[in-house]
Amino acid sequence: QEQEEEEEEEQEEAEGEEEEGEEEIDEGLEDNEDVDRILPRNSENFPPLTRRNKTEIDSVLNQDEDRDEIVCPKLSTPLPRDRLLCMKDYVWLNDEVINAYMELMRIRQEAFPDKHYPRCHFFSTFFYSKLTSDGYNYNAIRRWTRKVDLFSMDKIIIPVHLEIHWVLAVVNLRDQRFEYYDSLLGENHECLDVLAQYLADELKDKKQQVRDFTSWPKYQPQDIPQQMNGCDCGVFMCRFADYVSRDRPFDFIQSEMNYFRRLMTFELVKGRCLTL
């Protein structure tokens, strides 16, 4: 009986040591309150970041390291640390990071045909600014789609920069409507009118067909995740694009943006989206 009691005590001590080890790992995630709070969420939209992942992310975003070091080597245009530092908390996202993330979503779409994602074309951040140069200039971007049939797509994803604010515009060919997602809940009929004119010009140029798209509905929802600060619009815009390109309902909030900054950093470094 004494031997059995000793064995039970040893077993309890071993279990106690395992639990202490688990607590030590968990403490490694508590450096960032948002990450620690979000990780337990049971959703495919919130892939967990491990302690090792977080260490790698912190190293990549360490501004004291070599800023010219290529930290995203798997992208078609590799990014140095200097361009990725905008992923630190409370910093505006730059064009390079947003365009790289659009590339990751395109790669995901091609890599997982079994997921039956909507067929999306992802324009770069320069598309809309070129299109609206001098008011409206179709010729400025006419050749951008010489190798792409936009009318075979379900959705056209367009990041739009409005001076100091990022929003997402979508031409939803499948549902025949124009969509506008603004984390500040703004509306922009002018932007959607421009895209209606662009779609008509593209159809005439590439298909030699004439059609008026101005009758398509303009969907500018007000019940979407809302930005509560002045620096996360780019992150919100990328999340809108991610969810729209997977036909997922929005389920994120402002307090989760720091987590998404780290997730996106990790995805850019690895060259693939973790949300499927």
Side-chain angles (χ1 to χ4, degrees), residues 194-237:
V194 165
L195 294 181
Q197 182 61 56
Y198 167 74
L199 202 60
D201 289 342
E202 182 74 358
L203 184 66
K204 182 178 181 181
D205 183 67
K206 302 300 191 298
K207 304 286 188 180
Q208 291 74 53
Q209 298 176 23
V210 176
R211 182 175 177 181
D212 183 1
F213 293 97
T214 57
S215 62
W216 278 17
K218 295 179 175 62
Y219 179 65
Q220 304 183 77
Q222 299 295 295
D223 58 344
I224 60 176
Q226 185 176 357
Q227 175 186 348
M228 305 301 290
N229 62 24
C231 54
D232 281 331
C233 58
V235 186
F236 271 90
M237 187 272 291

Side-chain angles (χ1 to χ4, degrees), residues 54-67:
K54 183 177 179 297
T55 299
E56 184 173 356
I57 294 165
D58 289 343
S59 175
V60 168
L61 298 181
N62 185 350
Q63 59 188 8
D64 294 328
E65 297 289 342
D66 181 5
R67 294 196 172 206

Side-chain angles (χ1 to χ4, degrees), residues 100-157:
Y101 204 71
M102 295 293 148
E103 177 185 343
L104 293 191
M105 289 186 284
R106 176 187 60 78
I107 292 172
R108 175 182 61 193
Q109 174 179 268
E110 296 171 353
F112 295 96
D114 58 312
K115 295 289 186 179
H116 302 294
Y117 295 135
R119 292 166 297 174
C120 297
H121 180 72
F122 299 90
F123 274 122
S124 80
T125 57
F126 305 112
F127 170 79
Y128 187 78
S129 59
K130 286 279 188 181
L131 178 63
T132 55
S133 60
D134 299 323
Y136 176 83
N137 188 357
Y138 174 74
N139 286 330
I141 45 80
R142 174 176 172 271
R143 291 175 55 82
W144 283 37
T145 54
R146 63 186 184 277
K147 297 181 180 180
V148 179
D149 180 5
L150 287 186
F151 298 95
S152 69
M153 300 293 168
D154 294 315
K155 299 179 180 182
I156 305 170
I157 310 293

